[in-house]
Amino acid sequence: NAGVTQTPKFQVLKTGQSMTLQCAQDMNHNSMYWYRQDPGMGLRLIYYSASEGTTDKGEVPNGYNVSRLNKREFSLRLESAAPSQTSVYFCASTLEWGKNTEAFFGQGTRLTVV
Amino acid sequence: QQQVKQSPQSLIVQKGGISIINCAYENTAFDYFPWYQQFPGKGPALLIAIRPDVSEKKEGRFTISFNKSAKQFSLHIMDSQPGDSATYFCAASAGTYKYIFGTGTRLKVLA
């Protein structure tokens, strides 16, 4: 029962470097999400994919891109990392879009940009 | 109108006490109100959820109280235990809306 798996768990980047955060779910869920978590800010939605083949912006999409590679995988890319992107990133999935179902989260990626 | 306001930001409770966390929303279209629990180094996990057709839902020591007219809902943890020490997030969603999360409450239960 892996659920939602994120890689890597920790990463340190220099300003201007790029990287891709990987997320995979094995629950046959249709919808996937990327959140960032910052102290005092809660969870803020970066991008989401309501279904395979679609992606859309959330609250804080600037500086990020996503790819829904297939039904299982949803990646988040930072093209040119900035210190403001230092955060903990969570991937999540839900069975359906538009229905109020439980969101399952990965363990998170702690990213530091220096 | 999309915000969910959560308070307090942090809470310290003695073992055996009652922990109360409050959330308020503006969007009357919201129709699903879950609470998530997050332990350090882990992702959030669903704790309990309520829909607005009921005013209260109880699961073990955890109870959600819902006041539709005031647009408020709260989490009550009875007989709080040190193992309940975690960050709690309220959330709201409605149909095609995405989840909107509160800012979180860090709960510490003293032994």
Side-chain angles (χ1 to χ4, degrees), chain A residues 33 35 37 39-43 45 48 57-59 90 94 97-108 110, chain B residues 9 30-32 36 38 41-47 51 87 89 93-104 106:
Chain A
Y33 313 79
Y35 290 90
Q37 183 177 20
M41 304 288 284
L43 290 156
L45 184 64
Y48 65 97
K57 296 178 180 179
E59 294 176 72
F90 288 99
T94 57
W97 175 257
K99 298 186 194 300
N100 295 322
T101 59
E102 179 178 356
F104 290 82
F105 286 82
Q107 298 251 28
R110 185 173 294 273
Chain B
Q9 189 171 358
F30 287 145
D31 61 0
Y32 179 64
Y36 281 79
Q38 183 183 28
K42 304 292 186 182
L46 181 66
L47 181 65
R51 298 182 191 275
T87 298
F89 292 97
S93 69
T96 56
Y97 286 160
K98 308 161 285 293
Y99 275 51
I100 305 295
F101 284 89
T103 51
R106 184 172 290 184

Side-chain angles (χ1 to χ4, degrees), chain A residues 31-35 45 47-48 74 90-94 96-97:
Chain A
S31 303
M32 298 184 73
Y33 313 79
W34 277 104
Y35 290 90
L45 184 64
Y47 270 94
Y48 65 97
F74 188 38
F90 288 99
C91 177
S93 69
T94 57
E96 298 285 351
W97 175 257

